[in-house]
Amino acid sequence: MKRIMEWAPFKLLPGVTEADLLAASEKLQREFIAKQPGFISRTLVRAADGSYADVVWWQTAEAAAEVVHRAAESPTCAAYFSIMGADHADPGAGVAHFDAIAEYS
């Protein structure tokens, strides 16, 4: 199965806790991401330096690209982006998409 991985790294704004992030992430997942066409799965990860990334798998490149446009119009996405200082007008900034070319388990 060909899949697209979305890598969206970010840092939290000062004063935002990981608990705040998790609450916002769960709301984003429930109210926006899970409802998007082509969505497969999403994992929120934390690096040793305290930075984070959303890793999202999509069925197609088109699905991954289209969600960026819908995110720009979503109040739920705006709330999620606001805790990391992301630009709501450009939710695709800093996001990269990768084709899965081999998969191992």
Side-chain angles (χ1 to χ4, degrees):
M1 171 200 302
K2 183 168 175 136
R3 303 186 306 165
I4 303 297
M5 184 193 78
E6 178 176 297
W7 174 256
F10 62 92
K11 291 186 177 182
L12 297 178
L13 289 174
V16 177
T17 68
E18 190 168 281
D20 296 333
L21 170 62
L22 290 171
S25 178
E26 289 170 15
K27 182 175 181 176
L28 175 74
Q29 182 64 33
R30 183 178 61 252
E31 295 182 8
F32 183 78
I33 298 290
K35 297 178 180 179
Q36 299 308 305
F39 169 73
I40 298 171
S41 68
R42 173 174 168 251
T43 304
L44 179 61
V45 297
R46 178 184 61 227
D49 69 358
S51 63
Y52 297 87
D54 269 311
V55 181
V56 186
W57 288 96
W58 300 98
Q59 292 175 348
T60 66
E62 294 77 19
E66 283 299 313
V67 75
V68 172
H69 301 296
R70 286 190 290 277
E73 305 297 321
S74 167
T76 301
C77 291
Y80 186 64
F81 299 150
S82 73
I83 66 173
M84 59 187 76
D87 181 2
H88 178 63
D90 186 8
V95 173
H97 292 113
F98 300 85
D99 290 328
I101 60 170
E103 191 167 336
Y104 311 94
S105 57

Coordinates of all heavy atoms in Angstrom, one line a residue:
M1 N 0.8 -1.2 0.0 CA 0.0 0.0 0.0 C 0.9 1.2 0.0 O 1.8 1.4 0.9 CB -0.9 0.0 1.3 CG -1.6 1.3 1.4 SD -2.3 1.7 3.1 CE -3.3 0.4 3.4
K2 N 0.7 2.1 -1.0 CA 1.4 3.4 -1.0 C 0.8 4.3 0.0 O -0.4 4.5 0.0 CB 1.4 3.9 -2.4 CG 2.2 5.2 -2.5 CD 2.4 5.6 -3.9 CE 3.2 6.9 -3.9 NZ 4.2 7.0 -4.8
R3 N 1.6 5.0 0.8 CA 1.1 5.9 1.8 C 2.0 7.2 1.8 O 3.2 7.1 1.3 CB 1.1 5.3 3.2 CG 0.3 4.0 3.3 CD 0.2 3.5 4.7 NE 1.5 3.4 5.4 CZ 1.6 3.2 6.7 NH1 0.6 3.1 7.5 NH2 2.8 3.0 7.2
I4 N 1.5 8.2 2.3 CA 2.2 9.5 2.5 C 2.4 9.8 4.0 O 1.4 9.8 4.7 CB 1.5 10.6 1.8 CG1 1.2 10.3 0.3 CG2 2.2 12.0 2.0 CD1 2.5 10.2 -0.5
M5 N 3.6 10.1 4.4 CA 3.8 10.5 5.7 C 4.0 12.0 5.8 O 4.7 12.6 5.0 CB 5.1 9.9 6.3 CG 5.3 10.2 7.8 SD 6.9 9.8 8.4 CE 7.9 11.2 7.8
E6 N 3.3 12.6 6.7 CA 3.4 14.0 7.0 C 4.2 14.2 8.2 O 3.9 13.6 9.3 CB 2.0 14.6 7.2 CG 1.9 16.1 7.5 CD 0.5 16.6 7.5 OE1 -0.2 16.6 6.5 OE2 0.1 17.0 8.6
W7 N 5.2 15.0 8.2 CA 6.1 15.3 9.3 C 5.9 16.8 9.6 O 6.2 17.7 8.8 CB 7.5 15.0 8.9 CG 8.5 15.4 10.0 CD1 9.4 16.5 9.9 CD2 8.8 14.8 11.2 NE1 10.2 16.6 11.1 CE2 9.8 15.5 11.8 CE3 8.3 13.6 11.8 CZ2 10.4 15.1 13.1 CZ3 8.9 13.2 13.0 CH2 9.9 14.0 13.6
A8 N 5.4 17.1 10.8 CA 5.1 18.5 11.2 C 5.8 18.8 12.6 O 5.1 18.6 13.6 CB 3.6 18.7 11.3
P9 N 7.0 19.2 12.5 CA 7.7 19.5 13.8 C 7.3 20.9 14.4 O 6.9 21.8 13.6 CB 9.2 19.6 13.4 CG 9.2 20.0 12.0 CD 7.9 19.4 11.4
F10 N 7.4 21.0 15.7 CA 7.0 22.3 16.3 C 7.6 22.3 17.8 O 8.0 21.3 18.3 CB 5.5 22.5 16.3 CG 4.7 21.5 17.1 CD1 4.4 21.7 18.5 CD2 4.3 20.3 16.5 CE1 3.7 20.7 19.2 CE2 3.6 19.4 17.2 CZ 3.3 19.6 18.6
K11 N 7.6 23.6 18.3 CA 7.9 23.8 19.7 C 6.7 24.5 20.3 O 6.0 25.3 19.7 CB 9.2 24.6 19.9 CG 10.4 23.9 19.4 CD 11.6 24.6 19.7 CE 12.8 23.8 19.3 NZ 14.1 24.4 19.5
L12 N 6.5 24.3 21.6 CA 5.4 24.9 22.3 C 5.8 26.4 22.7 O 7.0 26.6 22.9 CB 5.1 24.2 23.6 CG 4.5 22.8 23.4 CD1 4.3 22.1 24.7 CD2 3.3 22.8 22.6
L13 N 4.8 27.2 22.8 CA 5.1 28.6 23.3 C 5.5 28.5 24.7 O 5.0 27.6 25.5 CB 3.8 29.5 23.1 CG 3.5 29.8 21.6 CD1 2.2 30.6 21.6 CD2 4.6 30.7 21.0
P14 N 6.2 29.5 25.2 CA 6.5 29.6 26.7 C 5.2 29.6 27.5 O 4.3 30.2 27.1 CB 7.3 30.9 26.8 CG 7.9 31.1 25.5 CD 6.9 30.6 24.5
G15 N 5.2 28.8 28.6 CA 4.1 28.7 29.4 C 3.0 27.7 29.1 O 2.1 27.4 29.8
V16 N 3.1 27.1 27.9 CA 2.3 26.0 27.5 C 2.8 24.7 28.0 O 4.0 24.4 27.7 CB 2.1 26.0 25.9 CG1 1.2 24.8 25.5 CG2 1.5 27.3 25.4
T17 N 2.0 23.9 28.7 CA 2.5 22.7 29.2 C 2.2 21.5 28.3 O 1.4 21.6 27.3 CB 1.8 22.4 30.6 OG1 0.4 22.1 30.3 CG2 1.9 23.5 31.5
E18 N 2.8 20.4 28.5 CA 2.5 19.2 27.7 C 1.1 18.8 28.0 O 0.4 18.3 27.0 CB 3.5 18.1 28.1 CG 3.4 16.9 27.1 CD 4.5 15.9 27.3 OE1 5.7 16.2 26.8 OE2 4.3 14.9 27.9
A19 N 0.6 18.9 29.1 CA -0.9 18.6 29.4 C -1.8 19.5 28.5 O -2.8 19.0 28.0 CB -1.2 18.8 30.9
D20 N -1.4 20.8 28.3 CA -2.2 21.6 27.4 C -2.1 21.1 26.0 O -3.1 21.1 25.3 CB -1.6 23.1 27.4 CG -1.7 23.8 28.8 OD1 -2.6 23.5 29.5 OD2 -0.9 24.7 29.0
L21 N -0.9 20.7 25.6 CA -0.7 20.1 24.2 C -1.6 18.9 24.0 O -2.2 18.7 23.0 CB 0.8 19.8 24.0 CG 1.1 19.0 22.7 CD1 0.7 19.8 21.5 CD2 2.6 18.6 22.7
L22 N -1.5 18.0 25.0 CA -2.3 16.7 24.9 C -3.8 17.0 24.8 O -4.5 16.4 24.0 CB -1.9 15.8 26.0 CG -0.5 15.2 25.9 CD1 -0.2 14.4 27.2 CD2 -0.4 14.3 24.7
A23 N -4.3 17.9 25.6 CA -5.7 18.3 25.5 C -6.1 18.8 24.1 O -7.1 18.4 23.5 CB -6.1 19.2 26.6
A24 N -5.2 19.8 23.6 CA -5.5 20.4 22.3 C -5.4 19.3 21.2 O -6.1 19.3 20.2 CB -4.5 21.5 22.1
S25 N -4.4 18.4 21.4 CA -4.2 17.4 20.4 C -5.3 16.4 20.3 O -5.8 16.0 19.2 CB -2.9 16.6 20.7 OG -2.6 15.6 19.8
E26 N -5.9 16.0 21.4 CA -7.0 15.1 21.4 C -8.2 15.8 20.8 O -9.0 15.2 20.0 CB -7.3 14.7 22.8 CG -6.3 13.7 23.4 CD -6.4 13.4 24.9 OE1 -7.4 13.7 25.5 OE2 -5.4 12.9 25.4
K27 N -8.4 17.1 21.0 CA -9.5 17.8 20.4 C -9.3 17.9 18.9 O -10.3 17.7 18.1 CB -9.7 19.2 21.0 CG -10.8 20.0 20.5 CD -11.0 21.3 21.2 CE -12.2 22.0 20.6 NZ -12.6 23.2 21.2
L28 N -8.1 18.2 18.5 CA -7.8 18.3 17.1 C -8.1 17.0 16.4 O -8.7 16.9 15.3 CB -6.3 18.7 16.9 CG -5.8 18.7 15.4 CD1 -6.4 19.9 14.7 CD2 -4.3 18.6 15.4
Q29 N -7.7 15.9 17.0 CA -7.9 14.6 16.4 C -9.4 14.2 16.3 O -9.8 13.8 15.2 CB -7.2 13.5 17.3 CG -7.3 12.1 16.8 CD -6.6 11.9 15.4 OE1 -5.6 12.5 15.2 NE2 -7.2 11.1 14.6
R30 N -10.1 14.5 17.4 CA -11.5 14.1 17.4 C -12.4 15.0 16.5 O -13.2 14.5 15.8 CB -12.0 14.3 18.9 CG -13.4 13.9 19.1 CD -13.8 14.0 20.6 NE -13.6 15.4 21.1 CZ -12.7 15.8 21.9 NH1 -11.7 15.0 22.4 NH2 -12.6 17.1 22.3
E31 N -12.1 16.3 16.5 CA -13.0 17.2 15.8 C -12.5 17.5 14.3 O -13.3 18.1 13.5 CB -13.1 18.5 16.5 CG -13.8 18.4 17.9 CD -13.9 19.7 18.6 OE1 -13.6 20.8 18.1 OE2 -14.3 19.6 19.8
F32 N -11.2 17.2 14.0 CA -10.8 17.6 12.6 C -10.1 16.5 11.9 O -10.6 16.0 10.9 CB -9.9 18.8 12.7 CG -9.4 19.3 11.4 CD1 -10.2 20.0 10.5 CD2 -8.1 19.0 10.9 CE1 -9.8 20.4 9.3 CE2 -7.7 19.4 9.6 CZ -8.6 20.1 8.8
I33 N -8.9 16.0 12.4 CA -8.1 15.0 11.7 C -8.9 13.8 11.4 O -8.8 13.3 10.2 CB -6.8 14.7 12.5 CG1 -6.0 16.0 12.7 CG2 -6.0 13.6 11.8 CD1 -5.3 16.5 11.5
A34 N -9.5 13.2 12.3 CA -10.2 11.9 12.1 C -11.3 12.0 11.1 O -11.7 10.9 10.5 CB -10.7 11.4 13.4
K35 N -11.8 13.1 10.8 CA -12.9 13.3 9.8 C -12.4 13.6 8.4 O -13.2 13.7 7.5 CB -13.7 14.5 10.3 CG -14.4 14.2 11.6 CD -15.3 15.4 12.0 CE -16.0 15.1 13.3 NZ -16.8 16.2 13.8
Q36 N -11.0 13.7 8.2 CA -10.5 14.0 6.9 C -10.4 12.8 6.0 O -10.0 11.7 6.4 CB -9.1 14.7 7.1 CG -9.1 15.9 7.9 CD -10.1 16.9 7.4 OE1 -10.2 17.3 6.2 NE2 -11.0 17.3 8.3
P37 N -10.8 13.0 4.7 CA -10.7 11.9 3.7 C -9.2 11.5 3.6 O -8.4 12.4 3.5 CB -11.2 12.6 2.4 CG -12.0 13.8 2.9 CD -11.4 14.2 4.1
G38 N -9.0 10.2 3.5 CA -7.7 9.7 3.3 C -6.8 9.6 4.5 O -5.7 9.1 4.5
F39 N -7.3 9.9 5.7 CA -6.6 9.8 6.9 C -6.4 8.4 7.3 O -7.4 7.6 7.3 CB -7.3 10.6 8.1 CG -6.8 10.3 9.4 CD1 -5.5 10.8 9.8 CD2 -7.4 9.5 10.3 CE1 -5.0 10.5 11.1 CE2 -6.9 9.2 11.6 CZ -5.7 9.7 12.0
I40 N -5.2 8.0 7.7 CA -4.9 6.6 8.2 C -4.6 6.6 9.7 O -5.3 6.0 10.4 CB -3.7 6.0 7.4 CG1 -4.0 5.9 5.9 CG2 -3.3 4.7 8.0 CD1 -2.8 5.5 5.1
S41 N -3.6 7.4 10.1 CA -3.2 7.4 11.5 C -2.4 8.6 11.8 O -1.9 9.3 10.9 CB -2.5 6.1 11.9 OG -1.2 6.1 11.3
R42 N -2.3 8.9 13.1 CA -1.5 10.1 13.6 C -0.8 9.7 14.9 O -1.4 9.1 15.8 CB -2.4 11.3 13.8 CG -1.8 12.5 14.4 CD -2.8 13.7 14.4 NE -2.3 14.7 15.2 CZ -2.8 15.1 16.4 NH1 -3.9 14.4 16.9 NH2 -2.3 16.1 17.1
T43 N 0.4 10.2 15.0 CA 1.2 10.0 16.3 C 1.8 11.3 16.7 O 2.4 12.0 15.8 CB 2.3 8.9 16.1 OG1 1.7 7.7 15.6 CG2 3.0 8.7 17.4
L44 N 1.7 11.7 17.9 CA 2.3 12.9 18.4 C 3.6 12.4 19.2 O 3.5 11.5 20.0 CB 1.4 13.6 19.4 CG 1.9 14.9 20.1 CD1 2.3 15.9 19.1 CD2 0.9 15.4 21.1
V45 N 4.7 12.9 18.8 CA 6.0 12.5 19.4 C 6.8 13.7 20.0 O 6.6 14.8 19.6 CB 6.9 11.8 18.3 CG1 6.3 10.5 17.8 CG2 7.3 12.7 17.1
R46 N 7.6 13.3 21.0 CA 8.4 14.3 21.7 C 9.9 13.9 21.6 O 10.2 12.7 21.8 CB 8.0 14.4 23.2 CG 8.9 15.3 24.0 CD 8.5 15.3 25.5 NE 8.8 14.0 26.0 CZ 7.9 13.3 26.8 NH1 6.8 13.8 27.1 NH2 8.2 12.1 27.2
A47 N 10.8 14.9 21.3 CA 12.2 14.6 21.2 C 12.8 15.0 22.5 O 12.2 15.6 23.4 CB 12.8 15.5 20.1
A48 N 14.1 14.5 22.7 CA 14.8 14.7 24.0 C 15.0 16.2 24.3 O 15.1 16.6 25.4 CB 16.1 14.0 23.9
D49 N 15.0 17.0 23.2 CA 15.2 18.5 23.4 C 14.0 19.2 23.8 O 13.9 20.5 23.9 CB 15.9 19.1 22.2 CG 15.0 19.2 21.0 OD1 13.8 18.7 21.0 OD2 15.5 19.7 19.9
G50 N 12.8 18.5 23.9 CA 11.6 19.1 24.3 C 10.7 19.6 23.1 O 9.7 20.2 23.3
S51 N 11.2 19.4 21.9 CA 10.4 19.7 20.7 C 9.5 18.6 20.4 O 9.6 17.5 21.0 CB 11.3 20.0 19.5 OG 12.1 18.9 19.1
Y52 N 8.5 18.8 19.6 CA 7.5 17.8 19.2 C 7.3 17.7 17.7 O 7.8 18.6 17.0 CB 6.1 18.3 19.9 CG 6.1 18.3 21.3 CD1 6.5 19.5 22.0 CD2 5.7 17.2 22.1 CE1 6.5 19.5 23.4 CE2 5.7 17.3 23.5 CZ 6.1 18.4 24.1 OH 6.2 18.5 25.5
A53 N 6.6 16.7 17.3 CA 6.2 16.6 15.9 C 4.9 15.8 15.8 O 4.7 14.8 16.6 CB 7.3 15.9 15.1
D54 N 4.1 16.1 14.9 CA 2.9 15.3 14.5 C 3.4 14.5 13.3 O 3.9 15.0 12.4 CB 1.7 16.2 14.1 CG 0.8 16.5 15.2 OD1 0.4 15.6 16.0 OD2 0.5 17.7 15.4
V55 N 3.1 13.2 13.4 CA 3.4 12.3 12.3 C 2.1 11.7 11.8 O 1.4 11.0 12.6 CB 4.4 11.1 12.7 CG1 4.7 10.2 11.5 CG2 5.7 11.7 13.3
V56 N 1.7 12.1 10.6 CA 0.4 11.7 10.1 C 0.5 10.9 8.9 O 1.3 11.3 8.0 CB -0.5 13.0 9.9 CG1 -1.9 12.5 9.5 CG2 -0.5 13.9 11.1
W57 N -0.2 9.8 8.7 CA -0.2 9.0 7.5 C -1.5 9.2 6.8 O -2.6 9.2 7.3 CB 0.0 7.5 7.9 CG 1.3 7.2 8.4 CD1 1.8 7.1 9.7 CD2 2.5 6.9 7.6 NE1 3.1 6.8 9.7 CE2 3.6 6.7 8.4 CE3 2.7 6.8 6.2 CZ2 4.8 6.4 8.0 CZ3 3.9 6.5 5.7 CH2 5.0 6.3 6.6
W58 N -1.3 9.4 5.4 CA -2.4 9.7 4.5 C -2.4 8.6 3.4 O -1.3 8.1 3.1 CB -2.3 11.1 3.9 CG -2.3 12.2 4.9 CD1 -1.2 12.8 5.4 CD2 -3.5 12.7 5.6 NE1 -1.7 13.7 6.3 CE2 -3.0 13.7 6.5 CE3 -4.8 12.5 5.5 CZ2 -3.9 14.4 7.2 CZ3 -5.7 13.2 6.3 CH2 -5.2 14.2 7.1
Q59 N -3.6 8.3 2.9 CA -3.7 7.4 1.8 C -3.0 7.8 0.5 O -2.5 7.0 -0.3 CB -5.1 7.0 1.5 CG -5.7 6.2 2.7 CD -7.2 6.0 2.5 OE1 -7.9 6.5 1.6 NE2 -7.8 5.1 3.3
T60 N -3.1 9.2 0.2 CA -2.6 9.7 -1.0 C -2.0 11.1 -0.8 O -2.3 11.8 0.2 CB -3.8 9.9 -2.1 OG1 -4.7 10.9 -1.6 CG2 -4.5 8.6 -2.3
A61 N -1.2 11.5 -1.8 CA -0.6 12.8 -1.7 C -1.6 13.9 -1.8 O -1.5 15.0 -1.2 CB 0.5 13.0 -2.8
E62 N -2.7 13.6 -2.6 CA -3.8 14.5 -2.8 C -4.5 14.8 -1.4 O -4.8 15.9 -1.1 CB -4.8 14.1 -3.8 CG -4.2 14.0 -5.2 CD -3.3 12.8 -5.5 OE1 -3.3 11.8 -4.8 OE2 -2.5 12.9 -6.4
A63 N -4.7 13.7 -0.7 CA -5.4 13.8 0.6 C -4.5 14.7 1.6 O -5.0 15.5 2.3 CB -5.7 12.5 1.2
A64 N -3.2 14.4 1.6 CA -2.3 15.2 2.4 C -2.3 16.7 2.0 O -2.3 17.5 2.9 CB -0.9 14.6 2.3
A65 N -2.3 16.9 0.8 CA -2.3 18.3 0.3 C -3.6 19.1 0.6 O -3.6 20.2 1.0 CB -2.0 18.4 -1.2
E66 N -4.7 18.4 0.4 CA -6.0 19.0 0.6 C -6.3 19.4 2.0 O -6.9 20.4 2.3 CB -7.1 18.1 0.1 CG -7.2 18.1 -1.4 CD -7.6 19.5 -2.0 OE1 -8.5 20.2 -1.5 OE2 -6.9 19.9 -3.0
V67 N -5.8 18.6 3.0 CA -6.1 18.9 4.4 C -5.5 20.2 4.8 O -6.0 20.9 5.7 CB -5.7 17.7 5.3 CG1 -4.2 17.6 5.5 CG2 -6.4 17.8 6.6
V68 N -4.4 20.6 4.2 CA -3.7 21.8 4.5 C -4.7 23.0 4.2 O -4.8 23.9 5.0 CB -2.4 22.0 3.7 CG1 -1.8 23.4 3.9 CG2 -1.4 20.9 4.1
H69 N -5.4 22.9 3.1 CA -6.4 24.0 2.8 C -7.5 24.0 3.8 O -8.0 25.1 4.2 CB -6.9 23.8 1.4 CG -5.8 23.9 0.4 ND1 -5.0 25.0 0.1 CD2 -5.3 22.9 -0.5 CE1 -4.1 24.7 -0.8 NE2 -4.3 23.4 -1.2
R70 N -8.0 22.9 4.2 CA -9.1 22.8 5.1 C -8.7 23.3 6.5 O -9.4 23.9 7.2 CB -9.7 21.4 5.1 CG -10.6 21.1 3.9 CD -11.3 19.8 4.1 NE -10.5 18.6 4.0 CZ -10.0 18.0 2.9 NH1 -10.3 18.5 1.8 NH2 -9.3 16.9 3.0
A71 N -7.4 23.0 6.9 CA -6.9 23.4 8.2 C -6.9 24.9 8.3 O -7.1 25.4 9.4 CB -5.5 22.8 8.4
A72 N -6.6 25.6 7.2 CA -6.6 27.1 7.2 C -8.0 27.7 7.6 O -8.0 28.8 8.1 CB -6.1 27.6 5.9
E73 N -9.0 26.9 7.4 CA -10.4 27.4 7.7 C -10.9 26.9 9.0 O -12.1 27.2 9.4 CB -11.3 27.0 6.5 CG -10.9 27.4 5.2 CD -10.8 28.9 5.0 OE1 -11.7 29.6 5.6 OE2 -9.9 29.5 4.4
S74 N -10.2 26.1 9.7 CA -10.7 25.4 10.9 C -10.4 26.1 12.2 O -9.2 26.2 12.5 CB -10.2 24.0 10.9 OG -10.4 23.4 12.2
P75 N -11.4 26.5 13.0 CA -11.1 27.0 14.3 C -10.4 26.0 15.2 O -9.6 26.4 16.1 CB -12.5 27.4 14.8 CG -13.4 27.4 13.6 CD -12.8 26.5 12.6
T76 N -10.7 24.7 15.1 CA -10.1 23.7 15.9 C -8.6 23.7 15.6 O -7.7 23.6 16.5 CB -10.7 22.4 15.7 OG1 -12.1 22.4 16.0 CG2 -10.0 21.3 16.5
C77 N -8.2 23.8 14.3 CA -6.8 23.8 13.9 C -6.2 25.1 14.4 O -5.0 25.1 14.9 CB -6.7 23.7 12.4 SG -7.1 22.1 11.8
A78 N -6.9 26.2 14.3 CA -6.3 27.5 14.8 C -6.0 27.4 16.3 O -4.9 27.9 16.7 CB -7.3 28.6 14.5
A79 N -6.8 26.8 17.1 CA -6.6 26.6 18.5 C -5.4 25.8 18.8 O -4.5 26.1 19.6 CB -7.8 26.1 19.2
Y80 N -5.2 24.7 18.0 CA -4.1 23.8 18.2 C -2.8 24.6 17.8 O -1.8 24.5 18.5 CB -4.3 22.6 17.3 CG -3.2 21.5 17.5 CD1 -3.0 20.9 18.7 CD2 -2.4 21.2 16.4 CE1 -2.0 19.9 18.8 CE2 -1.4 20.2 16.5 CZ -1.2 19.5 17.7 OH -0.3 18.6 17.9
F81 N -2.8 25.2 16.6 CA -1.6 26.0 16.2 C -1.2 27.1 17.1 O -0.1 27.4 17.2 CB -1.9 26.5 14.8 CG -2.1 25.5 13.7 CD1 -2.9 25.8 12.6 CD2 -1.6 24.2 13.8 CE1 -3.2 24.9 11.6 CE2 -1.9 23.2 12.8 CZ -2.7 23.6 11.7
S82 N -2.2 27.7 17.8 CA -1.9 28.8 18.7 C -1.1 28.5 19.9 O -0.4 29.4 20.4 CB -3.2 29.5 19.2 OG -3.9 28.7 20.1
I83 N -1.0 27.3 20.3 CA -0.2 26.9 21.4 C 1.3 26.7 21.0 O 2.2 26.6 21.9 CB -0.7 25.7 22.2 CG1 -0.6 24.4 21.4 CG2 -2.1 25.9 22.7 CD1 -1.0 23.1 22.1
M84 N 1.5 26.6 19.7 CA 2.9 26.5 19.2 C 3.3 27.7 18.4 O 4.4 27.7 17.9 CB 3.0 25.2 18.4 CG 2.0 25.2 17.2 SD 2.0 23.6 16.3 CE 1.0 22.6 17.4
G85 N 2.5 28.7 18.4 CA 2.9 29.9 17.7 C 2.9 29.7 16.2 O 3.5 30.5 15.5
A86 N 2.2 28.7 15.7 CA 2.2 28.5 14.2 C 1.3 29.5 13.6 O 0.4 30.1 14.2 CB 1.7 27.1 13.9
D87 N 1.6 29.8 12.3 CA 0.8 30.7 11.5 C -0.5 30.1 11.0 O -0.4 29.2 10.1 CB 1.7 31.2 10.3 CG 1.0 32.2 9.5 OD1 -0.1 32.6 9.8 OD2 1.6 32.7 8.5
H88 N -1.6 30.4 11.5 CA -2.9 29.8 11.1 C -3.2 30.1 9.7 O -3.8 29.3 9.0 CB -4.0 30.3 12.0 CG -5.4 29.8 11.6 ND1 -5.7 28.4 11.6 CD2 -6.5 30.4 11.1 CE1 -6.9 28.3 11.2 NE2 -7.4 29.4 10.9
A89 N -2.7 31.2 9.1 CA -2.9 31.6 7.7 C -2.1 30.6 6.8 O -2.5 30.5 5.6 CB -2.6 33.0 7.5
D90 N -1.1 30.0 7.3 CA -0.3 29.1 6.5 C 0.0 27.8 7.3 O 1.1 27.6 7.7 CB 1.0 29.8 6.1 CG 1.8 28.9 5.1 OD1 1.3 27.9 4.6 OD2 3.0 29.3 4.8
P91 N -1.0 27.0 7.5 CA -0.8 25.8 8.3 C 0.1 24.8 7.7 O 0.6 23.9 8.3 CB -2.2 25.2 8.4 CG -3.0 25.8 7.2 CD -2.4 27.1 7.0
G92 N 0.5 24.9 6.4 CA 1.5 24.0 5.8 C 2.9 24.4 6.0 O 3.8 23.7 5.6
A93 N 3.1 25.6 6.6 CA 4.5 26.1 6.8 C 5.2 25.1 7.8 O 4.7 24.7 8.8 CB 4.5 27.5 7.4
G94 N 6.4 24.7 7.3 CA 7.2 23.7 8.2 C 6.8 22.3 8.1 O 7.4 21.4 8.7
V95 N 5.8 22.0 7.3 CA 5.3 20.6 7.2 C 5.9 20.0 5.9 O 6.0 20.6 4.9 CB 3.7 20.6 7.0 CG1 3.2 19.2 6.7 CG2 3.1 21.1 8.3
A96 N 6.3 18.7 6.0 CA 6.9 18.0 4.9 C 6.2 16.7 4.7 O 5.7 16.1 5.6 CB 8.4 17.7 5.2
H97 N 6.0 16.3 3.4 CA 5.4 15.1 3.0 C 6.4 14.2 2.4 O 7.2 14.6 1.6 CB 4.2 15.3 2.1 CG 3.1 16.0 2.8 ND1 2.7 17.3 2.4 CD2 2.3 15.7 3.8 CE1 1.7 17.7 3.2 NE2 1.4 16.7 4.0
F98 N 6.3 12.9 2.7 CA 7.3 11.9 2.2 C 6.5 10.7 1.7 O 5.5 10.3 2.3 CB 8.2 11.3 3.4 CG 9.0 12.4 4.0 CD1 8.5 13.2 5.1 CD2 10.3 12.6 3.6 CE1 9.3 14.1 5.7 CE2 11.1 13.6 4.2 CZ 10.6 14.3 5.3
D99 N 6.9 10.2 0.5 CA 6.3 8.9 0.0 C 6.9 7.8 0.8 O 8.2 7.7 0.9 CB 6.7 8.8 -1.5 CG 5.9 9.8 -2.4 OD1 4.8 10.2 -2.0 OD2 6.5 10.1 -3.4
A100 N 6.1 6.9 1.2 CA 6.6 5.6 1.8 C 7.1 4.7 0.7 O 6.3 4.4 -0.2 CB 5.5 4.9 2.6
I101 N 8.3 4.4 0.7 CA 8.9 3.5 -0.4 C 9.2 2.1 0.0 O 9.3 1.2 -0.9 CB 10.1 4.2 -1.1 CG1 11.2 4.4 -0.1 CG2 9.7 5.5 -1.7 CD1 12.5 4.8 -0.7
A102 N 9.3 1.9 1.3 CA 9.4 0.5 1.8 C 8.9 0.5 3.2 O 9.0 1.5 3.9 CB 10.9 0.1 1.8
E103 N 8.4 -0.6 3.7 CA 7.8 -0.7 5.0 C 8.2 -2.0 5.6 O 8.2 -3.1 5.0 CB 6.3 -0.6 5.0 CG 5.7 -0.4 6.3 CD 4.3 0.1 6.3 OE1 3.8 0.7 5.2 OE2 3.5 -0.2 7.2
Y104 N 8.7 -2.0 6.9 CA 9.1 -3.2 7.6 C 8.5 -3.3 8.9 O 8.1 -2.3 9.5 CB 10.7 -3.1 7.8 CG 11.4 -2.8 6.5 CD1 11.8 -1.4 6.2 CD2 11.8 -3.7 5.6 CE1 12.4 -1.1 5.1 CE2 12.4 -3.4 4.4 CZ 12.8 -2.1 4.2 OH 13.5 -1.8 3.0
S105 N 8.2 -4.5 9.4 CA 7.6 -4.6 10.7 C 8.3 -5.8 11.4 O 9.0 -6.6 10.8 CB 6.1 -4.8 10.6 OG 5.8 -5.9 9.8

